[in-house]
Amino acid sequence: MISIIKLLRPTQWTKNCFIFLPLFFNGKIFNLSLFIACVVAFVAFSLASSAVYCFNDIFDVDADRLHPQKCQRPIAAGKVSVKTAYGVMALCFTLAMVVLYVFSETAKYTLMALVAFYFVMSIAYCLRLKRYAIVDVSVIAIGFVLRMVVGGQAANIWLSEWIVIMTYLLALLLAFAKRRDDVVLYQSTGMLPRESTHRYNLDFINQVMTVVSTITIITYIMYTLSPDVTARFHTKHLYLTAIFVLSGIIRYLQVTFVDLKSGNPTKILMNDRFIQVCMVGWVSAFLFIIYL
């Protein structure tokens, strides 16, 4: 049972917290009915993403057994059979659809379609799309945008172009950082972590990450200074929150370029105190501005 839980990768569910961002940014995070609607969407999306993780581990089992870290995954380590993994995958996706159908009060069919699209896109990524450089990171970034769209649909909130663009850019930055870790591993061990790795090198990824991080910071500053946003939040001091965003991104670049530990963004988020302080400061600032 412990191995099956590891197969589901519950620590990766933190990514699905993006579902709550539309609710948070619209000042309705304390609206109980809308919050419950987002919780339902979060649970369903987490189940669907776990189904994808099951399929990914099944499909990549041979490559994972040669990887220094991934060889510890349940299927690669022989702790969960392929047949069992298929069963868990089917159960997770079915439960995701059932949760949305039974508990969603608004836009249930739209939510089911969005989660199903994410599942199909992710399966296509596992089967083929991850073999192509740039396409692979783009699909990952689109997945995060889908999380935002699901949250917006669940809470019946319109998403601004700012939040969509920033979500895509931030996810793209994290995805390229993960590919950089693959390149470092390839250069040090000679082992190709994934087929698209040979189409990347450190010079290329370093330049792309510099460009994407710069655009992300500029976009965020433009967001905080835009007239419609300042009018909606009733303050002209939103730009001060850019301090936390800038500091967090710079710290992540340091972890990537200096510490060479960008392979698992979720692990960095859960362990790096500097980034955690930046996130707490950013969230606290918005809580004060929006709700107080």
Side-chain angles (χ1 to χ4, degrees):
M1 182 58 66
I2 293 176
S3 296
I4 290 176
I5 292 174
K6 289 182 178 179
L7 180 67
L8 300 179
R9 302 190 206 175
T11 56
Q12 298 293 327
W13 292 353
T14 54
K15 299 174 183 177
N16 301 330
C17 289
F18 274 75
I19 288 172
F20 294 95
L21 288 184
L23 198 63
F24 177 77
F25 280 112
N26 278 269
K28 299 178 181 178
I29 196 69
F30 296 119
N31 185 312
L32 185 59
S33 61
L34 294 181
F35 184 79
I36 292 175
C38 286
V39 169
V40 170
F42 174 86
V43 171
F45 208 99
S46 296
L47 288 168
S49 61
S50 287
V52 173
Y53 294 140
C54 289
F55 182 82
N56 179 76
D57 286 4
I58 293 170
F59 189 75
D60 287 346
V61 61
D62 292 331
D64 287 349
R65 285 173 179 155
L66 301 175
H67 195 279
Q69 286 86 40
K70 295 179 181 180
C71 63
Q72 299 299 321
R73 288 179 176 176
I75 300 177
K79 296 179 180 179
V80 176
S81 68
V82 171
K83 183 178 180 180
T84 300
Y86 271 121
V88 173
M89 180 188 76
L91 178 62
C92 284
F93 182 73
T94 301
L95 285 176
M97 294 294 103
V98 170
V99 166
L100 289 175
Y101 184 79
V102 174
F103 297 104
S104 294
E105 296 182 359
T106 58
K108 69 171 61 178
Y109 296 111
T110 301
L111 289 172
M112 291 173 69
L114 287 170
V115 173
F117 176 76
Y118 169 79
F119 179 78
V120 172
M121 181 186 71
S122 299
I123 294 299
Y125 171 83
C126 294
L127 290 173
R128 194 76 183 176
L129 297 181
K130 68 180 181 180
R131 300 179 183 180
Y132 305 107
I134 301 179
V135 173
D136 57 345
V137 294
S138 298
V139 171
I140 293 173
I142 291 171
F144 279 90
V145 173
L146 279 175
R147 288 171 171 87
M148 294 285 296
V149 174
V150 166
Q153 287 292 320
N156 194 25
I157 292 173
W158 176 80
L159 299 180
S160 71
E161 62 275 14
W162 291 110
I163 197 169
V164 173
I165 292 172
M166 285 188 293
T167 299
Y168 181 81
L169 288 171
L170 183 60
L172 200 63
L173 176 65
L174 299 178
F176 270 112
K178 196 168 184 178
R179 291 298 175 268
R180 189 182 189 280
D181 191 73
D182 290 339
V183 173
V184 171
L185 178 65
Y186 175 56
Q187 291 183 344
S188 60
T189 65
M191 184 190 70
L192 205 62
R194 63 187 77 241
E195 290 186 41
S196 63
T197 304
H198 74 279
R199 294 293 295 148
Y200 293 114
N201 59 44
L202 290 183
D203 289 337
F204 173 72
I205 292 183
N206 290 348
Q207 291 187 45
V208 170
M209 288 186 64
T210 300
V211 170
V212 173
S213 59
T214 301
I215 295 174
T216 302
I217 293 169
I218 292 173
T219 302
Y220 185 81
I221 294 174
M222 290 176 64
Y223 160 75
T224 60
L225 295 175
S226 62
D228 58 321
V229 172
T230 55
R232 180 152 53 91
F233 290 135
H234 308 291
T235 180
K236 294 183 178 180
H237 303 298
L238 200 63
Y239 68 92
L240 294 174
T241 61
I243 296 173
F244 301 109
V245 175
L246 178 60
S247 300
I249 290 178
I250 290 176
R251 170 58 181 171
Y252 191 80
L253 292 176
Q254 182 186 41
V255 171
T256 301
F257 296 146
V258 180
D259 301 334
L260 304 179
K261 295 180 179 179
S262 60
N264 192 331
T266 304
K267 188 176 180 179
I268 294 173
L269 176 64
M270 296 177 67
N271 292 281
D272 191 278
R273 293 290 179 265
F274 189 97
I275 292 179
Q276 290 173 353
V277 169
C278 289
M279 292 189 65
V280 170
W282 180 77
V283 171
S284 299
F286 263 95
L287 280 173
F288 181 80
I289 291 170
I290 299 175
Y291 298 95
L292 300 178

